Amino acid sequence: MSVRLSEGAIAAIMQGEYVSKPVLQVINTRAIATGNGPPRYRVLMSDGVNTLSSFMLATQLNSLVEEERLSAQCICQVNRFIVNSLKDGRRVVILMDLNVLKTADKVGGNIGNPVPYNEGQGQQRSSAPAANPAPSKPQQQNGNLSVAGPAAPKYHAPPSNQFGKVSAPSSVKTPGGSQAKVVPIASLNPYQSKWTICARVTQKGQIRTWSNSRGEGKLFSIELVDESGEIRATAFNDQADKFFPLIELNKVYYFTKGNLKTANKQYTAVKNDYEITFTNETSVVPCDDAQHLPSVQFEFVSIADLENTPKDSIVDVIGICKSYEDVTKITVKANNREVSKRNVHLMDISGKLVTATLWGNEAEQFDGSRQPVIAIKGARVSDFGGRSLSVLSSSTVVINPDSPEAFKLRGWFDSEGQLLECASISDVRGGPASGVNTNWKTLFEAKSENLGQGDKADYFSCVGTVVHLRKENCMYQACPSQDCNKKVIDQQNGLYRCEKCDREFPNFKYRMMLLVTIADCLEYQWVTCFQESAEFILGQNAAFLGELKEKNEQAFEEVFQNANFNTYEFRIRVKLETYNDESRIKATAVDVKPVNYREYSKRLIASIRRNAQLG
């Protein structure tokens, strides 16, 4: 393909005129150190008439330099750029988007005899456009001719009303009545003192307080998005009080002035090298005419891929709420503050299920009864119990988002996903996920897969029928203290001694330790059931059973007979234990509840379908 440089484009750009997609040649690139952030590249470019070293490559285009596609002598077309004015009056051109039209090896040298552009010069540009400009004669440099072809546009100061608004910044009236230029988020940098952006609020955190040796304070953070990118902004103390009630989630505002500093990636997953701190000069003005601005931007990771995602990574996920747990209260040790917590279990097309933890108001207000689609931006990956997710104060949770990914996931789940037996990545090799039964197995599968043979206990869920209960030693007399279940010794004087508490008590409480045999269609298993599980299976509490055993042995026998041949869902912990030099698998029921036959039938149907495909 033959190309020509856009002669005069550099002078037009530097004099504030609109230039549409100029074709320029790279003369040189140079990396600029930026501390901990990604490198910035300064580019010396030529339009065949002038050269200019004030071009800066946007960080999202760094790969062009690093992969050596954008190198000295290549020719490129600049599709989008921004001109920023620095405090000292100099101008910097930020290259936001460009295409490499010809690589350096196909050009062979510099085109024309360009001279450095100086601010205020105009000798390289005619005062009026030529009526019929003659074709330029190819000029020789380093023994190579410039490539002939269709003439690229020359720029001769055309009337300003002929220029569009694609690359030129728009403006907005500030509350004081003055005009302020609106610039893209991607162009913001610490060298600008005055700027205005038009952006949508895609995340708004709650006000948080802190107290340390340096004093006390408060803050809240928001995330802003426009068509060019995203950025995080934080308001402290007085600014937090001022702006928190004014700024609403998903609304669009003009933000003017604020301090820009290098972003601390430890606290944010926003893809921007900088972040904004609101100051006394910051103003926030609602914008009613910006429906074109994007809402929350996601880069979803499959739930299956989370198994190989490093701990503490910040990710975006989307999934169906397969099930959810009740809200619980926990106390934060750092400040002795009580917070609400709720676990939800998300499933996607990969067939994997992950536990995500909601906190605070989000935990209390969440309703998963209709199995909604949940999109989470900025969740932190934890290795607690396999792989799990924690929703941070900086995360954004969207219920049933209006997006293609959500529609696709909902259609898949309603048609076939709800029938699948999902495998959890959160609790297969860790602690049990309270309130949800996952990792479903038959008893035969649990034994054939050698669950419990590893260093840690394994957990699985099954549907089993009670076929035998051992009455002997099914209960014992325990310490009546609230936090002690140690067996007491009858002193034969009306007192009962607890060795652990080193005290004698006038009474005791009964504790259950019931050994039952459960069976399914393929296998059986001895399972130990402690207090709550044993009481559920027998249908009576331990105190009543203890009294019955002492006063009515026949009624006690009937309770056990009636408990036989009932079917339940069991959550079982299996672990290899050694006793008297003999190793065996010990199975303990950590949860017993009635069978959810609707879900059980779905799993059976899914199993039949899988077996039919294998056959």
Side-chain angles (χ1 to χ4, degrees):
M1 182 181 69
S2 300
V3 292
R4 291 285 299 277
L5 301 185
S6 302
E7 296 180 2
I10 286 177
I13 291 171
M14 296 305 288
Q15 294 186 19
E17 299 169 5
Y18 167 63
V19 179
S20 177
K21 298 183 178 181
V23 177
L24 305 174
Q25 183 178 31
V26 175
I27 304 301
N28 189 24
T29 61
R30 182 165 63 91
I32 299 175
T34 57
N36 296 329
R40 299 298 300 267
Y41 290 98
R42 188 170 183 175
V43 186
L44 176 63
M45 304 194 80
S46 164
D47 63 3
V49 176
N50 292 119
T51 60
L52 184 70
S53 62
S54 299
F55 289 94
M56 292 286 290
L57 202 63
T59 53
Q60 65 264 27
L61 301 181
N62 281 0
S63 59
L64 293 176
V65 176
E66 292 160 359
E67 296 170 5
E68 298 184 352
R69 286 183 286 162
L70 190 73
S71 58
Q73 300 178 352
C74 76
I75 297 175
C76 59
Q77 175 180 287
V78 180
N79 300 320
R80 193 157 60 93
F81 62 89
I82 298 212
V83 180
N84 284 338
S85 296
L86 305 183
K87 291 181 180 180
D88 59 6
R90 290 182 297 118
R91 292 188 173 188
V92 175
V93 183
I94 310 295
L95 303 175
M96 305 299 299
D97 182 33
L98 60 82
N99 295 330
V100 177
L101 302 181
K102 276 188 175 293
T103 55
D105 59 320
K106 295 181 179 178
V107 178
N110 293 342
I111 298 175
N113 294 300
V115 296
Y117 175 81
N118 294 317
E119 290 280 353
Q121 78 176 41
Q123 68 269 27
Q124 271 73 30
R125 302 176 61 215
S126 304
S127 59
N132 294 297
S136 298
K137 179 181 179 180
Q139 303 200 23
Q140 190 168 353
Q141 174 103 357
N142 297 332
N144 296 295
L145 292 176
S146 62
V147 184
K154 287 189 177 184
Y155 297 93
H156 298 288
S160 59
N161 60 8
Q162 293 182 11
F163 301 136
K165 298 182 180 180
V166 178
S167 295
S170 58
S171 61
V172 60
K173 281 191 176 182
T174 63
S178 60
Q179 292 285 331
K181 289 184 177 180
V182 176
V183 299
I185 286 176
S187 70
L188 294 178
N189 61 72
Y191 306 106
Q192 295 170 281
S193 58
K194 297 180 180 180
W195 48 263
T196 298
I197 58 173
C198 180
R200 186 183 302 276
V201 179
T202 57
Q203 195 278 334
K204 179 185 177 184
Q206 296 297 315
I207 288 185
R208 292 180 291 149
T209 59
W210 80 85
S211 177
N212 54 34
S213 59
R214 292 180 294 179
E216 299 179 348
K218 65 182 70 174
L219 65 90
F220 82 97
S221 296
I222 58 176
E223 291 177 12
L224 307 174
V225 169
D226 70 5
E227 291 173 310
S228 70
E230 56 186 349
I231 196 168
R232 184 173 185 252
T234 302
F236 292 89
N237 300 323
D238 293 343
Q239 280 69 44
D241 292 333
K242 175 182 178 181
F243 292 116
F244 187 83
L246 299 179
I247 297 174
E248 297 182 33
L249 186 66
N250 212 34
K251 294 292 183 67
V252 179
Y253 300 89
Y254 291 108
F255 296 86
T256 301
K257 291 188 179 181
N259 290 336
L260 282 149
K261 63 178 183 179
T262 302
N264 188 339
K265 296 300 183 180
Q266 180 181 353
Y267 300 109
T268 177
V270 173
K271 295 175 177 57
N272 198 308
D273 299 336
Y274 305 111
E275 59 187 14
I276 301 170
T277 300
F278 290 165
T279 68
N280 292 330
E281 295 183 332
T282 300
S283 69
V284 179
V285 179
C287 174
D288 299 324
D289 186 24
Q291 300 304 314
H292 62 286
L293 289 181
S295 54
V296 184
Q297 297 178 333
F298 292 95
E299 293 184 8
F300 292 121
V301 174
S302 168
I303 291 176
D305 292 339
L306 294 177
E307 292 184 280
N308 300 316
T309 301
K311 176 180 178 290
D312 293 331
S313 297
I314 304 297
V315 298
D316 302 346
V317 296
I318 186 170
I320 290 281
C321 177
K322 181 75 171 174
S323 59
Y324 63 102
E325 302 171 22
D326 294 333
V327 173
T328 58
K329 299 284 188 178
I330 66 169
T331 301
V332 181
K333 292 182 179 179
N335 52 20
N336 203 33
R337 184 169 56 92
E338 190 178 68
V339 296
S340 300
K341 170 186 174 184
R342 186 198 296 268
N343 287 338
V344 298
H345 309 284
L346 305 180
M347 175 187 182
D348 67 5
I349 296 177
S350 69
K352 299 288 186 176
L353 183 137
V354 67
T355 299
T357 303
L358 304 178
W359 302 91
N361 291 334
E362 285 182 334
E364 295 174 356
Q365 298 171 7
F366 177 77
D367 179 11
S369 58
R370 296 181 179 271
Q371 295 187 305
V373 176
I374 303 175
I376 305 175
K377 178 179 177 63
R380 174 172 289 164
V381 178
S382 168
D383 61 357
F384 178 75
R387 279 292 184 269
S388 57
L389 299 172
S390 181
V391 176
L392 310 175
S393 60
S394 59
S395 304
T396 300
V397 179
V398 183
I399 307 298
N400 291 323
D402 186 8
S403 69
E405 295 90 347
F407 298 144
K408 179 181 178 182
L409 188 58
R410 170 56 65 189
W412 167 81
F413 183 78
D414 291 344
S415 62
E416 57 178 299
Q418 60 182 326
L419 299 176
L420 292 180
E421 179 183 346
C422 54
S424 174
I425 67 171
S426 296
D427 57 52
V428 175
R429 294 275 172 180
S434 173
V436 60
N437 281 343
T438 55
N439 194 29
W440 289 94
K441 304 284 184 186
T442 64
L443 295 174
F444 175 79
E445 288 172 335
K447 290 185 177 181
S448 62
E449 294 176 14
N450 295 319
L451 294 185
Q453 300 282 359
D455 294 334
K456 294 183 179 180
D458 289 332
Y459 294 81
F460 71 94
S461 300
C462 69
V463 174
T465 301
V466 176
V467 296
H468 178 71
L469 302 97
R470 181 180 289 177
K471 299 187 298 294
E472 295 77 18
N473 301 319
C474 67
M475 59 175 55
Y476 64 93
Q477 296 172 343
C479 176
S481 298
Q482 182 176 356
D483 298 325
C484 181
N485 296 320
K486 195 74 174 175
K487 186 176 181 179
V488 296
I489 302 171
D490 189 348
Q491 301 292 91
Q492 303 300 324
N493 60 358
L495 296 176
Y496 301 87
R497 177 172 178 77
C498 175
E499 295 291 343
K500 180 181 179 182
C501 298
D502 194 21
R503 288 181 57 190
E504 292 183 348
F505 299 92
N507 61 337
F508 60 85
K509 64 184 177 185
Y510 277 109
R511 292 287 300 177
M512 301 291 299
M513 191 170 64
L514 179 65
L515 196 60
V516 303
T517 305
I518 64 172
D520 59 15
C521 59
L522 295 173
E523 189 58 90
Y524 73 92
Q525 175 70 54
W526 283 98
V527 179
T528 301
C529 300
F530 291 100
Q531 191 81 352
E532 291 79 8
S533 299
E535 289 178 339
F536 183 83
I537 291 174
L538 294 173
Q540 303 290 346
N541 63 51
F544 176 80
L545 288 170
E547 184 180 352
L548 209 60
K549 184 178 181 181
E550 293 176 358
K551 298 180 179 180
N552 192 337
E553 186 70 26
Q554 183 178 353
F556 183 74
E557 290 276 349
E558 288 179 359
V559 171
F560 280 78
Q561 291 175 6
N562 293 335
N564 269 313
F565 305 110
N566 292 319
T567 303
Y568 304 100
E569 289 183 0
F570 291 86
R571 183 73 172 157
I572 297 177
R573 176 189 188 270
V574 285
K575 181 73 173 69
L576 185 66
E577 296 188 353
T578 302
Y579 183 73
N580 289 338
D581 296 328
E582 181 182 349
S583 296
R584 61 184 179 88
I585 292 290
K586 181 178 180 181
T588 304
V590 295
D591 189 26
V592 182
K593 60 185 179 181
V595 178
N596 183 335
Y597 284 100
R598 183 172 179 268
E599 294 298 321
Y600 183 39
S601 297
K602 289 180 180 179
R603 292 194 299 273
L604 291 176
I605 293 170
S607 180
I608 291 170
R609 289 179 176 176
R610 286 196 304 271
N611 291 332
Q613 292 174 354
L614 294 175

